[in-house]
Every structure is written in C-alpha cells, then in structure tokens.
Amino acid sequence: MEQLTFYHLLSDITLEEVFQAYFDCRRHKRHSMAALKFEANYEQNLINLWQDITAHTYHIAPSNAFIVRHPVLREVFAANFRDRIVHHLIIGKLLRLFENVFYEHSYSCRAGKGTLFGIRSIYEMLQECSRHFTQDCFVLRLDIQGFFFHIDKTILFNKIQTLINTHYHHTNKEQILYLLKEILSDNPIRHCNYQTPIENWAELPQSKSLFFADTNCGLPIGNLTSQIFANFYLNDFDYYATSLDANLFYARYVDDLIFIHPDKNFLHQVKQQITDYLKSELHLTVHPKKVSLQHYAKGFSFTGAYILPNRIYPSKRLQKTFYQRIERLNREWKQQLSPKSKTILIEKTRSTLNSYFGILRHFNC
C-alpha cells in the first residue's frame, strides 16, 4: 500500500483513471481471448500498467497483423489489449478537446455524427445549393490515396501538441504527451504477430500497407487512436476548404471528400487548389482514379447511400451484403438442425434481419 501511495504522488494520471479506461476498453471485447486473459488478474495488471505510465517505462507490445477481405481488402494491426487500455485513456482525456475544434461536417468516429447523419446532412446541402432541386449545382468527389498509410506522424504530433498546449489545462499534460510520443513513435511492422499468412500481403496495393509506408509515416488501421488522430489530421484542411467560397458546401467522411457548388468551373479550379494544399501541407495525394465531377441530378454515392434528387437509395455494396447474408442464412436453414440449434438460428435470423431493416428504413427503397 505504501508503494501505491508513492506512485500516486508522482503521477497526475490516477489509478482510478486507468481502471476506468480498462472498463471502457473491455465493454465490447469482454469475451475475446485477450480480454479474458487480462481479466484473470486485471487488478494487478492495471496497477503494473499505471506504474509503468507514471515511471515513464511504458512501451508498446507487439500487435497482431492480419488481412480482412470484407467489406474491402485491407491490412489491420490489432493492438495488444494492454495498449488498447492506454488508447482509451488517451482518447478519454482528449476527446472533448478534439470535439471542440472538429469541423461540423466531418462524420467519422464522432458521437451522433455517423454515416446516417452524414447522408442526411449532405442531402440537405444538395437541397440548399440547388434551391430544392430547381437549379443547377455540381458535386465534386475526391478520395485520398492510401490515407492512413501516408499520414506524417511528425506533422500529426505537432498538431496535437499545439492543441494540448493551447487548450489542455490539466496538470497531467506531460504524461499525456509522453504517451502520445510512445504511440506515434511505435512502428508495428517491427514487432508484429502475423495472424494471416505473409503471402496474403501480396494481394494488397503497396499504398495500402504500412510495410511500404515512408519513414515515420502511417497509422495502423484497427486502433482507436488511429481513427481519432486521422480525423484530426485533416481538421485544418476542413476549415481551409470551407474558406474557399461562401457558396461552397463541403463535407468529409474519413478521406472521402464532397464539394457541392452551383458553378462547375469553380469546382474545376478548386480541385487543383485542394490537391496542392494536401500535398504541400499534409504530404497527401488525391487518388487520380477516384475523382468525380458531375451534375447532382445524376446521383452520387456516399457512405453506404446513393443520393439523388428527392430520394436516397442504399448503395450497391449494402444491397449486395444484405443479399449475401440472406443466402447464407438460407443455407443454414437447409441443414438438419437439432431443436436447440434451430432456436439459436431463429434468434440469429431475427437479429440479422432487424439489423438490416433498421438501416434500410432510412432509405427510399
């Protein structure tokens, strides 16, 4: 007990805060093997973690690296459960700070501003720009090539550090900055556990893998911190985009950028300005094959929806996954089932269909 009191005096991050971060972290992962292993002796594990943080001896453990194929082929680095607790601790401290400066129409990883909120907001922008679909307006869509893997971690850290030094007034500022440095200086490819055969990485484009990222660039997909930090990385760009013209409507979901304006020529000019800004200020490149400029009446896709005048349809990808899920359920129902298995499958079918119906009721379909 004397040891705990000694460490408590050294630290502005309390043991109680580490425990709370653990409870937040395990909320949806309690039955995973990593969470169960940690929980077997979680009190001592958390005390040890807290002591490492206070003594500045905390280091990142190896991540689990694997390839996922749905909804798209991508590389994932799943952090060690102990490190995920630290991620929740950091985000718990800084999330309000981020939310206070985030651009209103960036929709990624924000409470109350998910994909459906983004779809409705963009539809309203389209209505306003076209005077309720009575006048011409045009939609420019851009995508950043290999976004997560080209984020410059030095630029990112400087941006977060400036935000903390300006707006974070708690006494644990130095501990927070220390943890941020540990997270951003870590390169998971140096010490990862492969959960997928290494040859599967050959299917990935080099622009979508940390193994081919430039030095000190790239955030691992799969971490809570990566999602929030990536959103913040583009925050200054969000405000730059909105300053280009009073009649310009702009929104973003991760690295999917939407610009709406009544003048097509203006959007042509803006495209080059945007490309130059992203390259010079953030070291990012607009994907040359994912640029689209068209009249709004033709419709366009955005985060699982296809937006048209007076109606919003589910995207082709959403429709495809729904049909595939039903086909899979049908195959399961054709099997010989015991009464217990049939009861389980009934619940599985009901929950699956209700989940999709809950999404589809927001569309005109």
Side-chain angles (χ1 to χ4, degrees), residues 346-356:
I346 287 172
E347 289 303 315
K348 181 180 178 181
T349 303
R350 179 184 291 118
S351 62
T352 299
L353 294 179
N354 283 340
S355 177
Y356 276 101

Side-chain angles (χ1 to χ4, degrees), residues 153-165:
K153 293 194 283 188
T154 300
I155 295 175
L156 174 61
F157 178 78
N158 290 338
K159 285 178 177 292
I160 299 175
Q161 186 177 39
T162 299
L163 178 71
I164 290 173
N165 287 336

Side-chain angles (χ1 to χ4, degrees), residues 105 117-130 133 249 260 307 312:
H105 292 291
F117 178 87
I119 292 165
R120 288 193 295 268
S121 296
I122 288 177
Y123 184 79
E124 291 167 3
M125 291 179 187
L126 203 62
Q127 275 187 313
E128 186 174 348
C129 188
S130 64
F133 308 120
F249 294 86
I260 303 173
I307 301 173
I312 303 174

Side-chain angles (χ1 to χ4, degrees), residues 161-180:
Q161 186 177 39
T162 299
L163 178 71
I164 290 173
N165 287 336
T166 305
H167 299 289
Y168 192 81
H169 304 300
H170 299 283
T171 56
N172 55 30
K173 181 186 296 187
E174 291 306 316
Q175 284 85 0
I176 296 298
L177 289 172
Y178 157 70
L179 292 174
L180 283 170

Side-chain angles (χ1 to χ4, degrees), residues 282-320:
L282 299 173
H283 303 168
L284 298 173
T285 303
V286 172
H287 200 301
K289 296 182 180 180
K290 295 184 179 180
V291 177
S292 171
L293 176 57
Q294 62 189 51
H295 195 277
Y296 77 93
K298 293 182 179 180
F300 59 93
S301 60
F302 182 74
T303 65
Y306 196 80
I307 301 173
L308 287 155
N310 298 307
R311 58 207 187 276
I312 303 174
Y313 294 145
S315 68
K316 290 182 179 179
R317 179 189 290 177
L318 177 57
Q319 295 177 50
K320 182 180 178 180

